[in-house]
Amino acid sequence: MLFLRYATIALLLLAAWGPALPLAPVRTVVLLDQSPSAKDQTFRLAQDLKLQNARYLAFASSAQVVASAAARRADLGDTTDIVEGLEAALALKPDRILLVSDGLFTSPAPAPKVPLYALLVAPSPNLSLSFSPPPYPVYGEVVELRALIDSNTRAKIRVSFSGPAGVQTQDLETSPGKTSLAYRFTLEKPAQVIAKVESPLGTREQKIEIRPVDRVRVQVLGDAALARYLAAQGFAVAESLDIGPQIQAEVVAIGVGARDLSQAGLDSLRNFLNSGGSLLWTATPKGLFFGGWERSSLADSIPLDPKEEKAGAGLVLVLDVSGSMLEGHKLDLALDGALELVRSAREQDYLGVVLFSSGPSWLFRPRPMTEQGRKEAAGLLNSVRAGGGTAVGRAYGEAVSSLAGVPAERKQILVLSDGLVQDRKESVLEAARKAAAKSIFTSSVALGQDADQSFLSELSRQGGGSFYKVPEPKDLPRFFLEEAGRAFRRNSLEGVFPLTVVNHPATQGFAPPPLSVMLPARAKPWAASLLNFQDQSVLAVGEAGSGRVAALATDLSRSWTSWKEAPGFLGSLVRWLSRTPARPRASAFRDAFGVTVVVEGRFERPILRFSGRDIPLAPVAPFRYQATLPPFSTGEAVVFESDKQRLSVILPAAPEWRAEEGKENLKRLSQASGGALLASPAELSKLPVRKQVSTRYWLLILALAAFLAERFLEWRIRGKASFSRQP
């Protein structure tokens, strides 16, 4: 019994110590890399593997159990998916994993929960060929396609491209590493490019089709020449004045006046600009400075201002206020039109209004249309009353006399009447001839069918002006809008105007020829002037709202008509306009240093989140940010700002052959698992063939058995002693 007590104590002490004994054989799973870059070297090394109690897995893009180390599979794919291989190995419940690989994994892998030992094999000599396509290819753009040649040996090669830019060939010698060659062409339609590399290692050929991203949509309002140029560049062009609440375009080109659009249309353009759309004004006869844009809600968004003449125009309106003008609100509509003359006039323009019925009456004599002058004129127009006959002669004479002393380069009289003239017509016509001789020209308007059309027509002819018929009173406001544009027009310049070009993404690579017609203009302080003639701006760009704006101070139907690169230049401008900061985008491509992620848009501190890490995106240009990820990076990366996801980007897959140190990949993976990178198969003999099994559990069971045996013997002995003491 004492022996059992000592045995129990001894067994408990041994259990506390916990010795382990090599009792069970080690279960080993051998992972054989049979990807294209490693399979030949793996097969050679596998002949030297001497392992007991081992199972074999071949892997590349997928994994498959094989019978022996020398087994070869040709159906496992063309990449090195180490994650797939490790998952298949762990499913066999090994005690350790032996990985035979070149370490060129297509994705990083977490360390397994069992020790991993690795044997490095050198990748077979190879030249691999891949493409780095342009991130955002668009119609009409000169795109750059790069062929990436990864070589793990030194070799003389010949590289040839064939595609839209023709056949290009180059001979060179590569060293281990990456070589990049560019092929540039204008993307005018979906294009296929073929790259071929010929070397002692064989011929490699790759094809790629470059399709333009969604075509930039442009809605063109009233500029047929621009629409033709952009359509030739492959833009999705819609020529329509119908502007709905939701504009289905990236850029709206405007060749009409603000007065040609409804208020709802103008509001849509403003909302479009604030939501990240872009606007382009052109100097058609109704656009830019001609169409009342200076009084619209978009006036502050136009990057050009007219360079005003020192001397303006002088205009006197000779307005019929006879009793017949009370019919059908003729007078009210005529006065509304006169208000448009007041609003359209510039500070250097002179405007006067003389009324006539049975006699003349000055409403106000010609005065500069300063801000105060416009306020006073508008107030006086609201006080006009009608009544009396239709005697125009004296009122016309007053108009001629008043303009004689006005310091204006252009002087004009506009006569409006709705009835038969009652005074001596010959004297009025004679006065018109004399006025025209002094460069004071007369135009006339016949309102309705009862107007004295024959007299008014002759008055215009003798006075050197134009005759207009306005059939209905409701047409008067629009007529006066058009007349204001004619009377107070900005004169275009005609001649030869050589341009200087400012370097900008919209102008890069272009040298526009001289203009034949231009409007005197200057860029606003917040805008950048890209094309200039002396101190005048021809093209200015800037940002407004959340979008971009541009203004071109020339009429494209008269300028650059023989310049072959005009469509490309205008296309470059529209492409720049379409890439607004409010519409962020991201792309990724592989280069010699890893995977480069490029993000464009309006950001403050963007963060690239990939594989659980946050990487700051560094600014490299206005609204452009960049970060470089390790070469093995694949999958999806996400752009965050202030913990809010903005957009994502799919990273390109890693090529099978890469100029990368696979040894370091194997070393990191094996050490993180508790294993090691082996120098040669001979080191396998140093690894244990049996695994250590802990004896603590069995020692505790034996200690318990000894304790119970001792208790049983004590019980038996006590029982016999009690029986022997009975009488």
Side-chain angles (χ1 to χ4, degrees):
M1 228 170 35
L2 187 61
F3 167 76
L4 290 174
R5 182 169 299 175
Y6 289 149
T8 300
I9 294 171
L11 290 170
L12 288 173
L13 291 173
L14 284 172
W17 175 35
L21 299 175
L23 301 176
V26 175
R27 297 192 302 272
T28 303
V29 170
V30 181
L31 263 178
L32 302 167
D33 186 349
Q34 293 197 1
S35 62
S37 63
K39 60 184 179 182
D40 293 336
Q41 300 297 331
T42 298
F43 176 73
R44 293 189 182 94
L45 186 143
Q47 313 303 314
D48 299 330
L49 295 181
K50 309 286 186 198
L51 292 170
Q52 298 178 2
N53 198 31
R55 300 190 67 182
Y56 298 92
L57 269 173
F59 81 100
S61 302
S62 59
Q64 182 69 46
V65 175
V66 293
S68 67
R72 304 183 75 169
R73 296 293 297 261
D75 58 347
L76 300 179
D78 295 329
T79 62
T80 310
D81 192 339
I82 186 61
V83 176
E84 178 76 16
L86 289 176
E87 288 179 353
L90 292 173
L92 299 177
K93 302 187 181 304
D95 297 314
R96 67 185 175 207
I97 297 173
L98 174 63
L99 172 62
V100 182
S101 174
D102 59 7
L104 300 180
F105 308 138
T106 53
S107 60
K113 295 181 180 179
V114 299
L116 181 144
Y117 296 88
L119 281 171
L120 175 68
V121 296
S124 57
N126 185 75
L127 288 171
S128 67
L129 174 63
S130 61
F131 280 120
S132 176
Y136 295 111
V138 295
Y139 279 94
E141 186 177 30
V142 177
V143 299
E144 180 179 273
L145 176 66
R146 301 199 74 86
L148 305 178
I149 303 168
D150 254 334
S151 174
N152 57 8
T153 186
R154 187 179 296 277
K156 292 183 177 181
I157 65 173
R158 168 168 288 185
V159 183
S160 60
F161 292 96
S162 61
V167 177
Q168 299 176 9
T169 303
Q170 184 174 352
D171 294 325
L172 66 153
E173 183 173 350
T174 66
S175 56
K178 189 182 293 288
T179 303
S180 175
L181 299 176
Y183 183 74
R184 298 179 183 87
F185 59 93
T186 301
L187 187 61
E188 296 176 338
K189 59 182 179 180
Q192 185 182 77
V193 177
I194 301 175
K196 182 187 292 186
V197 176
E198 299 173 275
S199 74
L201 298 174
T203 299
R204 306 285 187 269
E205 185 175 291
Q206 286 285 343
K207 296 180 182 179
I208 188 171
E209 185 171 5
I210 305 296
R211 287 187 170 274
V213 295
D214 292 342
R215 298 169 68 186
V216 174
R217 297 168 297 177
V218 185
Q219 185 169 353
V220 179
L221 312 179
D223 193 334
L226 177 63
R228 289 194 302 272
Y229 284 137
L230 296 181
Q233 283 284 292
F235 291 94
V237 177
E239 291 187 78
S240 173
L241 293 179
D242 183 17
I243 302 206
Q246 298 295 327
I247 296 175
Q248 303 298 318
E250 283 73 49
V251 179
V252 175
I254 303 171
V256 296
R259 59 177 66 98
D260 295 316
L261 304 175
S262 66
Q263 186 58 49
L266 293 173
D267 291 342
S268 291
L269 289 176
R270 167 58 62 186
N271 295 334
F272 174 68
L273 192 60
N274 289 335
S275 64
S278 294
L279 302 178
L280 166 62
W281 282 270
T282 58
T284 64
K286 289 187 175 182
L288 201 54
F289 305 147
F290 300 133
W293 287 104
E294 68 278 3
R295 301 195 311 275
S296 74
S297 58
L298 288 166
D300 293 339
S301 302
I302 302 175
L304 282 179
D305 271 337
K307 192 173 182 181
E308 299 289 6
E309 306 159 333
K310 293 181 179 180
L315 172 65
V316 173
L317 173 63
V318 181
L319 180 60
D320 187 348
V321 292
S322 61
S324 61
M325 288 291 288
L326 292 173
E327 300 172 3
H329 302 289
K330 294 179 185 177
L331 181 60
D332 291 338
L333 292 167
L335 293 173
D336 286 344
L339 282 171
E340 287 300 330
L341 291 176
V342 172
R343 297 190 188 104
S344 299
R346 302 160 295 174
E347 291 190 358
Q348 67 268 39
D349 293 326
Y350 284 73
L351 177 64
V353 177
V354 59
L355 311 175
F356 72 92
S357 54
S358 298
S361 173
W362 276 106
L363 186 63
F364 55 89
R365 292 182 180 275
R367 63 179 67 182
M369 286 293 99
T370 60
E371 184 176 354
Q372 183 63 30
R374 281 194 292 268
K375 288 181 180 179
E376 293 175 358
L380 291 169
L381 284 167
N382 289 327
S383 66
V384 174
R385 298 293 180 267
T390 311
V392 69
R394 290 169 57 195
Y396 180 78
E398 290 280 342
V400 174
S401 299
S402 68
L403 283 173
V406 169
E409 290 186 355
R410 302 186 308 275
K411 299 177 183 181
Q412 180 181 352
I413 297 172
L414 180 64
V415 180
L416 184 148
S417 177
D418 73 333
L420 294 174
V421 174
Q422 298 171 352
D423 47 3
R424 292 179 58 190
K425 300 178 181 179
E426 292 77 8
S427 61
V428 179
L429 296 175
E430 178 64 23
R433 284 194 294 272
K434 292 179 178 179
K438 298 177 181 178
S439 298
I440 300 175
F441 302 104
T442 303
S443 295
S444 61
V445 184
L447 175 59
Q449 299 301 319
D450 296 331
D452 197 338
Q453 295 188 18
S454 61
F455 166 72
L456 294 172
S457 174
E458 184 63 18
L459 178 66
S460 299
R461 190 179 71 81
Q462 297 288 345
S466 301
F467 171 63
Y468 304 99
K469 294 180 182 179
V470 179
E472 298 292 337
K474 63 182 178 61
D475 298 324
L476 279 173
R478 179 163 292 278
F479 164 76
F480 274 106
L481 281 172
E482 295 172 353
E483 182 61 22
R486 290 187 287 265
F488 305 125
R489 68 185 185 275
R490 271 83 180 186
N491 285 331
S492 60
L493 303 177
E494 297 188 16
V496 178
F497 307 105
L499 301 174
T500 56
V501 184
V502 175
N503 190 31
H504 184 272
T507 60
Q508 193 168 15
F510 293 97
L515 294 174
S516 56
V517 59
M518 63 172 288
L519 294 176
R522 60 175 180 267
K524 289 183 177 177
W526 52 266
S529 183
L530 305 185
L531 296 182
N532 300 285
F533 168 69
Q534 297 178 357
D535 63 341
Q536 301 180 48
S537 177
V538 174
L539 172 63
V541 300
E543 295 193 4
S546 296
R548 289 174 169 172
V549 291
L552 184 62
T554 190
D555 185 351
L556 294 171
S557 66
R558 301 168 65 190
S559 287
W560 293 337
T561 54
S562 59
W563 184 33
K564 293 182 179 180
E565 293 186 55
F569 174 75
L570 295 167
S572 177
L573 174 61
V574 169
R575 279 188 288 275
W576 179 83
L577 286 169
S578 70
R579 297 169 181 170
T580 62
R583 295 174 175 172
R585 60 185 83 191
S587 62
F589 59 90
R590 292 190 174 273
D591 55 23
F593 305 100
V595 179
T596 300
V597 178
V598 178
V599 177
E600 294 178 310
R602 191 187 298 277
F603 295 96
E604 291 186 3
R605 294 181 179 177
I607 297 294
L608 184 68
R609 186 167 296 171
F610 174 72
S611 191
R613 296 171 53 219
D614 284 351
I615 304 163
L617 283 153
V620 294
F623 307 113
R624 187 180 177 94
Y625 304 84
Q626 187 170 302
T628 300
L629 300 175
F632 56 76
S633 302
T634 58
E636 182 182 28
V638 181
V639 178
F640 279 83
E641 185 176 35
S642 301
D643 292 329
K644 180 181 179 182
Q645 180 174 341
R646 296 291 302 276
L647 66 163
S648 61
V649 57
I650 301 300
L651 307 180
E656 172 61 21
W657 273 275
R658 303 188 302 282
E660 179 184 325
E661 187 53 70
K663 181 178 180 179
E664 291 301 317
N665 292 336
L666 294 178
K667 186 176 181 180
R668 283 194 299 268
L669 186 62
S670 58
Q671 290 181 348
S673 70
L677 177 64
L678 305 179
S680 68
E683 292 192 7
L684 291 172
S685 61
K686 300 178 183 179
L687 300 179
V689 295
R690 291 185 174 275
K691 61 183 176 181
Q692 300 289 323
V693 179
S694 175
T695 59
R696 179 174 297 171
Y697 174 75
W698 299 106
L699 291 172
L700 288 173
I701 291 177
L702 290 174
L704 178 61
F707 174 76
L708 293 176
E710 180 186 3
R711 297 282 77 76
F712 177 75
L713 290 175
E714 285 183 353
W715 176 74
R716 289 289 303 271
I717 293 172
R718 288 174 183 171
K720 289 181 180 180
S722 174
F723 178 78
S724 63
R725 286 197 298 270
Q726 292 182 359

